[in-house]
Amino acid sequence: MPGREVEMHPVLKAFVCGSISGTCSTLLFQPLDLLKTRLQTLQPAVGGSGRAGMVTVLFRVVRTESLLGLWKGVSPSFARCIPGVGIYFSTLYTMKQKFLGDRSPTALESVFLGATARAISGICMLPVTVVKTRYESGRFGYGSVYGALKSIYQTEGARGMFSGLTATLLRDAPFSGIYLMFYTQTKKLTPQDQLDPVLMPVVNFGCGIFAGILASLATQPADVIKTHMQLSPEKYRRTSQAVAFIYKVR
């Protein structure tokens, strides 16, 4: 009816809000993601002078690929994060409503919810994650996300598109579970009813940073393994092969 507001379904609202947040964070942090991928695949020594650091790689990328080179891979990042984060938040909301109702999750329940929602999202978006990793590595000359997916499927089959699945799940599921647990538990420790509402975004931001650091530290090894397997699926047929190689040369 005219003048009547249309209420968006909560699951759809969670999807849209998650997609918007994913877009903003992707655009802002893509250079750091690219540097992470490059650092994970560097050989231990560069010209015999020791291990290269983040600043060294940063200047190398800017010098050889221009400043915009830091945003290489942003298109597959968007293609992955916009639907992927939306799927994560909508799945998380649906599970919370189904299993918890309106009550706050316990620490163990937070781990379960975060890990399950991220695993579902990660599996759905894994082919695009493979493309994103290859874009960021600078080793592949794909012209577009669609062209990359088509090329990988034609030359490597479905196995190539889902390379690093085990390592990805070992990274994504624990990361989101640990992150959600620390985030929710840290927020419970803050006296939110005594704080100025203006400060709440800052408090939430701080809780998110704290939870993200702890989750990243716990899942970094799986992230390195995932990167190696997605860049060289013909070399690493199993996760154990990638683990053995990384342990040997690093």
Side-chain angles (χ1 to χ4, degrees):
M1 295 178 64
R4 183 178 178 180
E5 294 185 2
V6 178
E7 184 68 23
M8 184 181 293
H9 192 280
V11 175
L12 181 59
K13 184 183 292 185
F15 184 95
V16 172
C17 292
S19 298
I20 293 173
S21 68
T23 301
C24 295
S25 62
T26 294
L27 187 61
L28 185 61
F29 295 113
Q30 178 61 28
L32 293 177
D33 221 15
L34 180 138
L35 294 177
K36 174 181 70 71
T37 299
R38 298 288 177 95
L39 284 167
Q40 288 176 347
T41 54
L42 277 178
Q43 293 300 316
V46 179
S49 59
R51 189 181 296 274
M54 185 176 72
V55 176
T56 302
V57 176
L58 170 65
F59 282 114
R60 183 185 303 166
V61 172
V62 173
R63 185 176 65 252
T64 60
E65 304 175 39
S66 79
L67 185 63
L68 291 178
L70 292 171
W71 275 267
K72 180 177 292 184
V74 73
S75 54
S77 291
F78 280 143
R80 183 194 69 153
C81 284
I82 293 175
V85 177
I87 292 171
Y88 169 78
F89 277 107
S90 56
T91 303
L92 185 64
Y93 175 85
T94 301
M95 290 194 302
K96 285 180 67 176
Q97 291 299 114
K98 181 176 179 60
F99 297 115
L100 304 179
D102 295 328
R103 72 175 178 86
S104 180
T106 64
L108 188 59
E109 288 170 341
S110 295
V111 172
F112 170 76
L113 291 172
T116 304
R118 188 63 180 267
I120 293 172
S121 173
I123 292 172
C124 291
M125 303 310 301
L126 186 59
V128 185
T129 302
V130 174
V131 173
K132 170 184 174 295
T133 302
R134 295 190 179 188
Y135 260 85
E136 292 170 350
S137 72
R139 301 178 183 180
F140 299 83
Y142 299 130
S144 65
V145 175
Y146 172 76
L149 291 171
K150 183 178 179 181
S151 174
I152 293 171
Y153 183 75
Q154 289 178 340
T155 58
E156 303 171 33
R159 186 185 184 92
M161 298 185 73
F162 286 88
S163 58
L165 173 60
T166 301
T168 299
L169 292 178
L170 288 175
R171 180 200 67 166
D172 286 358
F175 178 92
S176 290
I178 295 170
Y179 175 88
L180 189 61
M181 178 189 69
F182 280 114
Y183 180 74
T184 55
Q185 297 306 306
T186 304
K187 283 189 66 177
K188 287 180 181 180
L189 296 176
T190 59
Q192 300 189 29
D193 54 340
Q194 302 175 20
L195 291 175
D196 188 328
V198 178
L199 296 177
M200 286 310 301
V202 179
V203 173
N204 292 337
F205 182 75
C207 292
I209 291 178
F210 175 73
I213 290 174
L214 294 178
S216 295
L217 289 174
T219 58
Q220 177 64 12
D223 194 31
V224 176
I225 296 167
K226 174 199 76 72
T227 299
H228 278 268
M229 294 189 70
Q230 290 178 345
L231 292 180
S232 304
E234 74 289 344
K235 182 177 180 180
Y236 308 113
R237 308 293 288 182
R238 297 187 303 275
T239 304
S240 58
Q241 292 177 316
V243 172
F245 173 81
I246 295 168
Y247 181 80
K248 181 179 179 180
V249 303
R250 298 285 171 166

